[in-house]
Amino acid sequence: MIILHASIAILGVLLLIIALKVEPVIALVLGSLYLGIAGGIGLAETVEVIAVGFGEIMAEVGLLIGFGVLLGALLYALGALQKFVALLLRLLGAKRLPYAMSAALTTLFPSIYVDVQLVLASPLARSAAPHIGRGGLPLLAGSLSAGILVGYVFVVPGLGTLSIAGLLDIPLGTMLIFGLIVGPVTAVVTTFLFSLVLRRGFWTPANDEHETQALRDAEQAAEEQDEEHAAAMPPLGISLLPVIVPLLLIASGAIASAVEVDNSVIAFVSNPVFALFLGMVGAYVLARRTLGRDRTDDAVTTGLSTTGQILLITGIGGSLGAVIGETTLDQVLGDLFSASTGTSVILTLLLAWLIAALLHFAIGSISVAAIAAAGILAPVLGSLDVAPVVVGLAIGAGALFALQVNSNFFWMFQSLLGISTQGALKALTFVTALASVVAMPIIVALGFLVPA
Protein backbone atom coordinates (compact mmCIF):
# COMPACT_ATOMS: atom_id res chain seq x y z
CA MET A 1 0.00 0.00 0.00
CA ILE A 2 2.88 2.37 0.77
CA ILE A 3 4.11 2.02 -2.82
CA LEU A 4 0.69 3.23 -4.04
CA HIS A 5 0.78 6.23 -1.70
CA ALA A 6 4.35 7.05 -2.74
CA SER A 7 3.37 6.84 -6.41
CA ILE A 8 0.39 9.15 -5.80
CA ALA A 9 2.66 11.61 -3.93
CA ILE A 10 5.30 11.70 -6.68
CA LEU A 11 2.74 11.89 -9.50
CA GLY A 12 0.94 14.62 -7.60
CA VAL A 13 4.16 16.61 -7.27
CA LEU A 14 4.84 16.22 -10.99
CA LEU A 15 1.32 17.27 -11.97
CA LEU A 16 1.43 20.31 -9.70
CA ILE A 17 4.75 21.44 -11.18
CA ILE A 18 4.07 20.56 -14.82
CA ALA A 19 0.34 21.08 -15.33
CA LEU A 20 -0.50 23.75 -12.75
CA LYS A 21 2.92 25.49 -12.77
CA VAL A 22 3.10 25.39 -8.97
CA GLU A 23 6.45 26.29 -7.42
CA PRO A 24 8.52 23.12 -6.79
CA VAL A 25 8.95 24.01 -3.10
CA ILE A 26 5.17 24.08 -2.53
CA ALA A 27 4.63 20.91 -4.58
CA LEU A 28 7.32 18.98 -2.68
CA VAL A 29 5.92 20.03 0.71
CA LEU A 30 2.41 18.95 -0.34
CA GLY A 31 3.79 15.63 -1.59
CA SER A 32 5.67 15.09 1.68
CA LEU A 33 2.55 15.92 3.72
CA TYR A 34 0.42 13.47 1.75
CA LEU A 35 3.00 10.68 1.97
CA GLY A 36 3.48 11.16 5.71
CA ILE A 37 -0.22 11.25 6.54
CA ALA A 38 -1.21 8.46 4.14
CA GLY A 39 1.81 6.42 5.27
CA GLY A 40 0.58 6.42 8.85
CA ILE A 41 3.07 8.78 10.49
CA GLY A 42 0.30 11.00 11.85
CA LEU A 43 -0.74 14.62 11.32
CA ALA A 44 1.43 16.48 13.82
CA GLU A 45 4.25 13.98 13.47
CA THR A 46 4.42 14.48 9.69
CA VAL A 47 4.89 18.23 10.08
CA GLU A 48 7.54 17.63 12.74
CA VAL A 49 9.41 15.17 10.50
CA ILE A 50 9.32 17.66 7.60
CA ALA A 51 10.81 20.37 9.85
CA VAL A 52 13.48 18.05 11.29
CA GLY A 53 14.44 16.78 7.82
CA PHE A 54 14.77 20.35 6.58
CA GLY A 55 16.98 21.29 9.54
CA GLU A 56 19.21 18.26 9.17
CA ILE A 57 19.99 18.86 5.51
CA MET A 58 20.58 22.57 6.17
CA ALA A 59 23.12 21.60 8.83
CA GLU A 60 24.85 19.47 6.17
CA VAL A 61 24.91 21.80 3.17
CA GLY A 62 23.32 25.15 4.07
CA LEU A 63 26.57 27.05 4.57
CA LEU A 64 28.25 25.22 1.69
CA ILE A 65 25.57 26.30 -0.76
CA GLY A 66 25.50 29.86 0.59
CA PHE A 67 29.27 30.29 0.42
CA GLY A 68 29.43 28.55 -2.98
CA VAL A 69 26.82 30.82 -4.55
CA LEU A 70 28.45 33.98 -3.17
CA LEU A 71 31.86 32.79 -4.38
CA GLY A 72 30.42 32.26 -7.87
CA ALA A 73 28.80 35.70 -7.92
CA LEU A 74 32.10 37.34 -6.98
CA LEU A 75 34.04 35.34 -9.60
CA TYR A 76 31.52 36.56 -12.16
CA ALA A 77 32.17 40.16 -11.13
CA LEU A 78 35.92 39.58 -11.35
CA GLY A 79 35.64 38.38 -14.96
CA ALA A 80 37.49 35.12 -14.28
CA LEU A 81 35.60 32.98 -16.80
CA GLN A 82 35.85 35.45 -19.67
CA LYS A 83 39.60 35.87 -19.25
CA PHE A 84 40.17 32.13 -18.91
CA VAL A 85 38.37 31.31 -22.17
CA ALA A 86 40.27 34.07 -23.95
CA LEU A 87 43.53 32.57 -22.66
CA LEU A 88 42.55 29.10 -23.89
CA LEU A 89 41.84 30.50 -27.33
CA ARG A 90 45.28 32.14 -27.48
CA LEU A 91 47.20 29.14 -26.16
CA LEU A 92 45.41 26.22 -27.80
CA GLY A 93 43.91 27.70 -30.93
CA ALA A 94 40.33 27.48 -32.14
CA LYS A 95 40.37 23.77 -33.06
CA ARG A 96 41.11 22.61 -29.50
CA LEU A 97 38.97 25.27 -27.83
CA PRO A 98 35.72 23.21 -27.59
CA TYR A 99 37.44 20.43 -25.62
CA ALA A 100 39.41 22.81 -23.42
CA MET A 101 36.29 24.88 -22.76
CA SER A 102 34.14 21.91 -21.75
CA ALA A 103 36.89 20.60 -19.44
CA ALA A 104 37.51 24.01 -17.87
CA LEU A 105 33.85 24.78 -17.30
CA THR A 106 33.38 21.39 -15.66
CA THR A 107 36.49 21.52 -13.48
CA LEU A 108 37.09 25.16 -12.49
CA PHE A 109 33.80 27.03 -12.72
CA PRO A 110 30.98 24.94 -11.17
CA SER A 111 30.81 27.48 -8.33
CA ILE A 112 29.34 29.97 -10.82
CA TYR A 113 25.60 29.38 -11.16
CA VAL A 114 24.70 27.69 -14.45
CA ASP A 115 22.60 30.57 -15.79
CA VAL A 116 25.45 33.00 -15.12
CA GLN A 117 27.99 30.67 -16.78
CA LEU A 118 25.75 30.57 -19.84
CA VAL A 119 25.40 34.35 -19.98
CA LEU A 120 29.19 34.75 -19.68
CA ALA A 121 30.28 31.99 -22.04
CA SER A 122 27.72 32.38 -24.85
CA PRO A 123 29.20 35.55 -26.41
CA LEU A 124 32.68 34.03 -26.09
CA ALA A 125 31.52 30.92 -27.94
CA ARG A 126 29.82 32.95 -30.65
CA SER A 127 32.87 35.14 -31.21
CA ALA A 128 35.21 32.11 -31.37
CA ALA A 129 32.94 30.02 -33.64
CA PRO A 130 34.09 31.57 -36.98
CA HIS A 131 37.71 30.67 -36.15
CA ILE A 132 36.80 26.97 -35.98
CA GLY A 133 35.15 26.98 -39.38
CA ARG A 134 32.00 25.26 -40.57
CA GLY A 135 30.17 23.76 -37.62
CA GLY A 136 31.97 25.98 -35.12
CA LEU A 137 28.84 27.39 -33.52
CA PRO A 138 27.08 24.06 -32.84
CA LEU A 139 30.30 22.46 -31.61
CA LEU A 140 30.97 25.27 -29.15
CA ALA A 141 27.30 25.30 -28.13
CA GLY A 142 27.57 21.58 -27.41
CA SER A 143 30.78 22.07 -25.44
CA LEU A 144 29.01 24.70 -23.33
CA SER A 145 26.15 22.28 -22.65
CA ALA A 146 28.54 19.53 -21.60
CA GLY A 147 30.92 21.74 -19.62
CA ILE A 148 28.40 23.77 -17.66
CA LEU A 149 25.90 21.05 -16.81
CA VAL A 150 28.29 18.13 -16.24
CA GLY A 151 30.15 20.27 -13.71
CA TYR A 152 26.87 21.19 -12.04
CA VAL A 153 25.98 17.57 -11.18
CA PHE A 154 29.41 15.97 -10.65
CA VAL A 155 32.03 18.46 -9.49
CA VAL A 156 32.34 20.29 -6.16
CA PRO A 157 31.25 23.05 -5.60
CA GLY A 158 28.52 22.66 -8.25
CA LEU A 159 25.20 23.23 -6.53
CA GLY A 160 23.67 19.99 -7.80
CA THR A 161 26.73 18.13 -6.49
CA LEU A 162 26.54 19.80 -3.08
CA SER A 163 22.85 18.94 -2.75
CA ILE A 164 23.35 15.28 -3.68
CA ALA A 165 26.35 14.95 -1.32
CA GLY A 166 24.43 16.53 1.54
CA LEU A 167 21.30 14.46 1.10
CA LEU A 168 23.25 11.20 0.83
CA ASP A 169 25.70 12.19 3.61
CA ILE A 170 28.73 11.82 1.33
CA PRO A 171 31.94 13.54 2.55
CA LEU A 172 32.59 16.46 0.25
CA GLY A 173 36.25 15.55 -0.20
CA THR A 174 35.20 12.12 -1.45
CA MET A 175 32.66 13.67 -3.80
CA LEU A 176 35.31 16.07 -5.09
CA ILE A 177 37.81 13.33 -5.95
CA PHE A 178 35.34 11.03 -7.70
CA GLY A 179 33.59 13.95 -9.38
CA LEU A 180 36.90 15.03 -10.88
CA ILE A 181 37.34 11.50 -12.21
CA VAL A 182 33.91 11.39 -13.87
CA GLY A 183 33.20 15.03 -14.76
CA PRO A 184 36.02 16.22 -17.05
CA VAL A 185 36.22 12.88 -18.88
CA THR A 186 32.46 12.90 -19.48
CA ALA A 187 32.50 16.50 -20.73
CA VAL A 188 35.43 16.02 -23.14
CA VAL A 189 34.23 12.64 -24.49
CA THR A 190 30.73 14.05 -25.00
CA THR A 191 32.15 17.01 -26.91
CA PHE A 192 34.22 14.68 -29.09
CA LEU A 193 31.26 12.38 -29.86
CA PHE A 194 29.09 15.39 -30.67
CA SER A 195 31.76 16.62 -33.11
CA LEU A 196 31.59 13.24 -34.89
CA VAL A 197 27.80 13.53 -35.14
CA LEU A 198 28.11 17.05 -36.53
CA ARG A 199 30.43 15.82 -39.30
CA ARG A 200 27.63 13.54 -40.53
CA GLY A 201 25.32 16.44 -41.32
CA PHE A 202 23.46 16.58 -38.02
CA TRP A 203 23.41 20.41 -38.12
CA THR A 204 21.84 22.53 -40.87
CA PRO A 205 22.56 26.25 -40.37
CA ALA A 206 19.50 27.34 -42.33
CA ASN A 207 17.17 25.56 -39.89
CA ASP A 208 19.23 25.40 -36.70
CA GLU A 209 20.66 28.92 -36.41
CA HIS A 210 18.61 32.02 -35.71
CA GLU A 211 20.61 35.14 -34.94
CA THR A 212 18.52 38.22 -34.14
CA GLN A 213 19.45 41.89 -34.41
CA ALA A 214 18.72 42.26 -30.71
CA LEU A 215 21.34 39.63 -29.93
CA ARG A 216 23.94 41.39 -32.09
CA ASP A 217 23.17 44.74 -30.42
CA ALA A 218 23.40 43.20 -26.95
CA GLU A 219 26.77 41.60 -27.75
CA GLN A 220 28.14 44.89 -29.03
CA ALA A 221 27.00 46.70 -25.89
CA ALA A 222 28.53 44.00 -23.70
CA GLU A 223 31.88 44.26 -25.53
CA GLU A 224 31.94 48.00 -24.97
CA GLN A 225 31.15 47.54 -21.27
CA ASP A 226 33.86 44.87 -20.92
CA GLU A 227 36.43 47.20 -22.49
CA GLU A 228 35.39 49.95 -20.09
CA HIS A 229 35.95 47.74 -17.01
CA ALA A 230 38.90 45.67 -18.29
CA ALA A 231 41.53 47.86 -16.66
CA ALA A 232 39.98 47.32 -13.22
CA MET A 233 39.98 43.52 -13.44
CA PRO A 234 42.75 41.56 -11.62
CA PRO A 235 45.05 39.16 -13.53
CA LEU A 236 43.60 35.76 -14.38
CA GLY A 237 45.84 33.79 -12.01
CA ILE A 238 44.77 35.96 -9.09
CA SER A 239 41.08 35.79 -10.08
CA LEU A 240 41.14 31.97 -10.02
CA LEU A 241 42.79 31.62 -6.59
CA PRO A 242 39.50 31.88 -4.65
CA VAL A 243 38.20 28.74 -6.35
CA ILE A 244 41.45 26.78 -6.73
CA VAL A 245 42.59 27.12 -3.10
CA PRO A 246 39.35 25.74 -1.56
CA LEU A 247 39.38 22.77 -3.95
CA LEU A 248 42.98 21.97 -3.00
CA LEU A 249 42.18 22.25 0.70
CA ILE A 250 39.15 19.96 0.45
CA ALA A 251 41.14 17.46 -1.61
CA SER A 252 43.96 17.50 0.97
CA GLY A 253 41.53 16.34 3.63
CA ALA A 254 40.29 13.46 1.48
CA ILE A 255 43.87 12.42 0.70
CA ALA A 256 44.87 12.61 4.38
CA SER A 257 41.90 10.44 5.28
CA ALA A 258 42.78 7.90 2.57
CA VAL A 259 46.35 7.51 3.87
CA GLU A 260 45.10 7.53 7.49
CA VAL A 261 46.86 10.73 8.54
CA ASP A 262 45.14 12.21 11.61
CA ASN A 263 46.09 15.87 11.97
CA SER A 264 43.90 18.54 13.55
CA VAL A 265 45.28 21.35 11.36
CA ILE A 266 44.60 19.42 8.14
CA ALA A 267 41.14 18.51 9.43
CA PHE A 268 40.44 22.21 10.11
CA VAL A 269 41.65 23.72 6.84
CA SER A 270 40.18 20.90 4.72
CA ASN A 271 36.73 21.21 6.26
CA PRO A 272 34.54 22.13 3.27
CA VAL A 273 32.73 24.87 5.18
CA PHE A 274 35.99 26.57 6.12
CA ALA A 275 37.54 26.02 2.69
CA LEU A 276 34.62 27.58 0.81
CA PHE A 277 34.36 30.38 3.36
CA LEU A 278 38.05 31.12 2.85
CA GLY A 279 37.55 31.17 -0.93
CA MET A 280 34.54 33.47 -0.60
CA VAL A 281 36.39 35.88 1.69
CA GLY A 282 39.36 35.88 -0.69
CA ALA A 283 37.09 36.69 -3.64
CA TYR A 284 35.36 39.40 -1.62
CA VAL A 285 38.62 41.09 -0.62
CA LEU A 286 39.89 40.84 -4.18
CA ALA A 287 36.68 42.34 -5.56
CA ARG A 288 36.70 45.19 -3.04
CA ARG A 289 40.30 46.07 -3.92
CA THR A 290 39.88 45.95 -7.69
CA LEU A 291 36.21 46.69 -8.40
CA GLY A 292 35.25 48.96 -5.52
CA ARG A 293 32.60 48.69 -2.87
CA ASP A 294 29.51 49.35 -5.02
CA ARG A 295 30.17 46.69 -7.66
CA THR A 296 31.21 44.19 -4.99
CA ASP A 297 28.03 44.84 -3.01
CA ASP A 298 25.98 44.37 -6.20
CA ALA A 299 27.62 40.98 -6.78
CA VAL A 300 26.97 39.88 -3.19
CA THR A 301 23.34 41.02 -3.39
CA THR A 302 22.86 39.00 -6.57
CA GLY A 303 24.37 35.94 -4.90
CA LEU A 304 22.20 36.30 -1.80
CA SER A 305 19.02 36.59 -3.87
CA THR A 306 19.88 33.30 -5.60
CA THR A 307 20.86 31.50 -2.40
CA GLY A 308 17.44 31.61 -0.73
CA GLN A 309 15.60 29.69 -3.44
CA ILE A 310 18.32 27.05 -3.69
CA LEU A 311 18.47 26.52 0.08
CA LEU A 312 14.71 26.22 0.37
CA ILE A 313 14.29 23.59 -2.32
CA THR A 314 17.33 21.64 -1.06
CA GLY A 315 15.89 21.65 2.45
CA ILE A 316 12.54 20.36 1.23
CA GLY A 317 14.39 17.55 -0.51
CA GLY A 318 15.73 16.64 2.92
CA SER A 319 12.19 16.76 4.30
CA LEU A 320 10.96 14.30 1.67
CA GLY A 321 13.79 11.92 2.54
CA ALA A 322 12.97 12.20 6.25
CA VAL A 323 9.29 11.41 5.61
CA ILE A 324 10.26 8.36 3.54
CA GLY A 325 12.52 7.24 6.36
CA GLU A 326 9.61 7.33 8.83
CA THR A 327 7.34 5.20 6.63
CA THR A 328 7.89 1.61 5.55
CA LEU A 329 8.78 2.80 2.05
CA ASP A 330 12.49 2.70 2.85
CA GLN A 331 12.20 -1.03 3.56
CA VAL A 332 10.38 -1.62 0.27
CA LEU A 333 12.96 0.38 -1.67
CA GLY A 334 15.72 -1.40 0.22
CA ASP A 335 14.41 -4.73 -1.03
CA LEU A 336 14.15 -3.32 -4.56
CA PHE A 337 17.72 -2.01 -4.49
CA SER A 338 19.29 -4.85 -2.52
CA ALA A 339 22.57 -5.88 -4.07
CA SER A 340 24.43 -9.12 -3.50
CA THR A 341 26.09 -9.82 -6.85
CA GLY A 342 28.04 -7.93 -9.50
CA THR A 343 25.01 -7.85 -11.78
CA SER A 344 22.85 -6.16 -9.13
CA VAL A 345 25.46 -3.40 -8.75
CA ILE A 346 24.72 -2.46 -12.35
CA LEU A 347 20.97 -2.73 -11.75
CA THR A 348 21.16 -0.56 -8.63
CA LEU A 349 23.02 2.20 -10.45
CA LEU A 350 20.72 2.00 -13.46
CA LEU A 351 17.66 2.28 -11.21
CA ALA A 352 19.15 5.31 -9.44
CA TRP A 353 19.92 6.84 -12.84
CA LEU A 354 16.42 6.06 -14.13
CA ILE A 355 14.63 7.62 -11.15
CA ALA A 356 16.58 10.88 -11.54
CA ALA A 357 16.23 10.87 -15.35
CA LEU A 358 12.45 10.41 -15.23
CA LEU A 359 12.09 13.13 -12.61
CA HIS A 360 14.20 15.53 -14.67
CA PHE A 361 12.40 14.76 -17.91
CA ALA A 362 9.07 15.40 -16.22
CA ILE A 363 9.96 18.41 -14.03
CA GLY A 364 12.49 20.16 -16.27
CA SER A 365 14.90 21.08 -13.47
CA ILE A 366 18.20 19.29 -12.99
CA SER A 367 18.52 20.44 -9.37
CA VAL A 368 14.95 19.54 -8.37
CA ALA A 369 15.28 16.11 -10.01
CA ALA A 370 18.63 15.44 -8.30
CA ILE A 371 17.33 16.59 -4.91
CA ALA A 372 14.10 14.59 -5.21
CA ALA A 373 15.90 11.44 -6.36
CA ALA A 374 18.50 11.75 -3.58
CA GLY A 375 15.72 12.32 -1.07
CA ILE A 376 13.94 9.18 -2.24
CA LEU A 377 17.08 7.01 -2.12
CA ALA A 378 18.77 8.43 0.98
CA PRO A 379 16.80 6.30 3.48
CA VAL A 380 17.82 3.03 1.76
CA LEU A 381 21.46 3.90 1.09
CA GLY A 382 22.71 1.84 4.01
CA SER A 383 21.14 -1.33 2.60
CA LEU A 384 22.97 -1.11 -0.72
CA ASP A 385 26.21 -2.87 -1.62
CA VAL A 386 27.29 0.14 -3.67
CA ALA A 387 29.35 3.03 -2.29
CA PRO A 388 27.15 6.08 -1.57
CA VAL A 389 29.40 8.33 -3.66
CA VAL A 390 28.83 6.11 -6.71
CA VAL A 391 25.06 6.15 -6.16
CA GLY A 392 25.31 9.94 -5.92
CA LEU A 393 27.15 10.10 -9.23
CA ALA A 394 24.48 7.89 -10.85
CA ILE A 395 21.79 10.25 -9.58
CA GLY A 396 23.74 13.19 -11.02
CA ALA A 397 24.03 11.45 -14.38
CA GLY A 398 20.30 10.71 -14.44
CA ALA A 399 19.37 14.26 -13.47
CA LEU A 400 21.49 15.50 -16.39
CA PHE A 401 19.54 13.50 -18.97
CA ALA A 402 17.90 15.41 -21.86
CA LEU A 403 17.40 18.96 -20.64
CA GLN A 404 14.59 20.20 -22.86
CA VAL A 405 11.79 22.70 -23.47
CA ASN A 406 10.28 22.60 -19.97
CA SER A 407 13.43 24.22 -18.56
CA ASN A 408 14.06 27.98 -18.57
CA PHE A 409 17.75 27.20 -19.24
CA PHE A 410 16.72 25.74 -22.61
CA TRP A 411 15.22 29.04 -23.76
CA MET A 412 18.12 31.09 -22.41
CA PHE A 413 20.48 28.78 -24.29
CA GLN A 414 18.52 29.12 -27.52
CA SER A 415 18.34 32.92 -27.42
CA LEU A 416 21.86 33.67 -26.13
CA LEU A 417 23.58 31.44 -28.71
CA GLY A 418 21.47 32.66 -31.62
CA ILE A 419 20.07 29.26 -32.59
CA SER A 420 16.58 28.00 -33.32
CA THR A 421 14.48 25.76 -31.09
CA GLN A 422 15.47 22.84 -33.31
CA GLY A 423 19.11 23.83 -32.91
CA ALA A 424 18.75 23.93 -29.11
CA LEU A 425 17.22 20.45 -29.14
CA LYS A 426 20.37 19.27 -30.91
CA ALA A 427 23.06 21.25 -29.07
CA LEU A 428 21.50 21.06 -25.60
CA THR A 429 18.89 18.29 -25.29
CA PHE A 430 20.82 15.78 -27.36
CA VAL A 431 24.16 16.70 -25.80
CA THR A 432 22.92 16.41 -22.20
CA ALA A 433 21.33 13.04 -23.03
CA LEU A 434 24.63 11.96 -24.58
CA ALA A 435 26.63 13.15 -21.56
CA SER A 436 24.28 11.33 -19.20
CA VAL A 437 24.82 8.08 -21.08
CA VAL A 438 28.59 8.60 -21.52
CA ALA A 439 29.02 9.02 -17.76
CA MET A 440 27.31 5.75 -16.82
CA PRO A 441 30.00 3.24 -17.92
CA ILE A 442 32.54 5.19 -15.85
CA ILE A 443 30.18 5.23 -12.87
CA VAL A 444 29.36 1.52 -13.21
CA ALA A 445 33.10 0.73 -13.29
CA LEU A 446 33.52 2.74 -10.08
CA GLY A 447 30.64 0.76 -8.60
CA PHE A 448 32.74 -2.41 -8.88
CA LEU A 449 36.00 -0.76 -7.78
CA VAL A 450 34.97 1.44 -4.85
CA PRO A 451 34.18 -0.44 -1.60
CA ALA A 452 30.62 0.03 -0.33
Side-chain angles (χ1 to χ4, degrees):
M1 197 65 177
I2 189 63
I3 289 290
L4 175 62
H5 290 311
S7 300
I8 292 172
I10 292 172
L11 288 173
V13 168
L14 295 178
L15 287 173
L16 286 171
I17 295 173
I18 298 167
L20 300 180
K21 309 299 181 185
V22 174
E23 281 295 319
V25 168
I26 297 173
L28 284 168
V29 172
L30 290 174
S32 299
L33 284 170
Y34 171 82
L35 182 59
I37 295 169
I41 298 177
L43 296 172
E45 291 80 1
T46 297
V47 176
E48 183 178 347
V49 169
I50 288 174
V52 170
F54 185 95
E56 288 177 348
I57 191 59
M58 284 299 98
E60 289 282 344
V61 299
L63 288 175
L64 295 175
I65 290 174
F67 294 157
V69 172
L70 290 175
L71 172 59
L74 290 164
L75 287 176
Y76 165 48
L78 290 167
L81 176 58
Q82 303 95 307
K83 287 182 287 188
F84 189 76
V85 173
L87 177 65
L88 291 177
L89 183 59
R90 289 198 305 271
L91 293 179
L92 302 176
K95 297 296 183 182
R96 297 186 183 91
L97 180 63
Y99 307 103
M101 183 181 287
S102 62
L105 289 172
T106 296
T107 307
L108 292 176
F109 296 102
S111 61
I112 302 179
Y113 197 55
V114 290
D115 291 355
V116 177
Q117 284 193 66
L118 181 62
V119 170
L120 291 174
S122 294
L124 299 171
R126 284 179 49 78
S127 62
H131 299 285
I132 296 177
R134 191 173 184 273
L137 179 60
L139 181 55
L140 283 171
S143 75
L144 290 190
S145 298
I148 293 173
L149 297 171
V150 167
Y152 185 73
V153 297
F154 289 142
V155 180
V156 175
L159 297 181
T161 314
L162 293 178
S163 299
I164 293 170
L167 287 162
L168 299 184
D169 199 23
I170 302 168
L172 213 56
T174 304
M175 197 72 181
L176 171 64
I177 290 173
F178 286 101
L180 288 174
I181 292 172
V182 176
V185 174
T186 297
V188 172
V189 171
T190 299
T191 303
F192 173 71
L193 293 176
F194 186 55
S195 72
L196 297 182
V197 173
L198 290 174
R199 292 175 194 172
R200 296 184 175 274
F202 186 63
W203 189 270
T204 52
N207 297 324
D208 297 331
E209 297 178 16
H210 180 65
E211 183 186 71
T212 63
Q213 184 61 44
L215 176 62
R216 288 191 290 269
D217 293 343
E219 287 178 347
Q220 184 176 353
E223 286 176 6
E224 293 172 358
Q225 187 177 20
D226 288 343
E227 290 174 3
E228 180 182 343
H229 295 301
M233 297 295 187
L236 175 61
I238 303 297
S239 298
L240 290 177
L241 284 177
V243 69
I244 292 174
V245 170
L247 293 180
L248 292 175
L249 290 176
I250 294 170
S252 71
I255 294 169
S257 177
V259 298
E260 299 182 352
V261 173
D262 186 11
N263 183 285
S264 59
V265 175
I266 294 177
F268 173 68
V269 299
S270 65
N271 184 290
V273 173
F274 174 78
L276 282 179
F277 175 72
L278 183 65
M280 183 198 68
V281 171
Y284 180 81
V285 171
L286 189 58
R288 282 290 295 266
R289 289 179 62 87
T290 57
L291 305 179
R293 179 177 176 179
D294 290 341
R295 291 183 65 194
T296 302
D297 288 347
D298 288 343
V300 171
T301 300
T302 301
L304 289 173
S305 66
T306 305
T307 302
Q309 180 183 10
I310 298 168
L311 289 175
L312 194 56
I313 197 165
T314 302
I316 298 305
S319 299
L320 176 61
V323 169
I324 290 173
E326 291 296 319
T327 67
T328 59
L329 181 60
D330 60 335
Q331 299 173 12
V332 176
L333 289 174
D335 294 338
L336 176 65
F337 279 87
S338 62
S340 58
T341 67
T343 303
S344 58
V345 169
I346 298 175
L347 180 60
T348 296
L349 295 175
L350 288 177
L351 285 172
W353 178 91
L354 182 62
I355 289 172
L358 290 175
L359 286 169
H360 175 220
F361 196 77
I363 295 171
S365 168
I366 291 176
S367 58
V368 174
I371 290 166
I376 290 169
L377 295 179
V380 305
L381 207 58
S383 65
L384 306 182
D385 286 343
V386 183
V389 66
V390 183
V391 176
L393 292 170
I395 290 172
L400 179 64
F401 185 78
L403 192 150
Q404 34 96 19
V405 295
N406 57 356
S407 167
N408 66 306
F409 187 92
F410 178 94
W411 300 108
M412 284 182 61
F413 184 90
Q414 180 256 328
S415 59
L416 288 172
L417 282 160
I419 58 180
S420 66
T421 300
Q422 178 176 301
L425 287 169
K426 294 177 180 179
L428 180 60
T429 306
F430 175 78
V431 168
T432 50
L434 182 61
S436 177
V437 173
V438 165
M440 281 307 293
I442 307 171
I443 294 169
V444 169
L446 290 175
F448 288 107
L449 297 173
V450 181

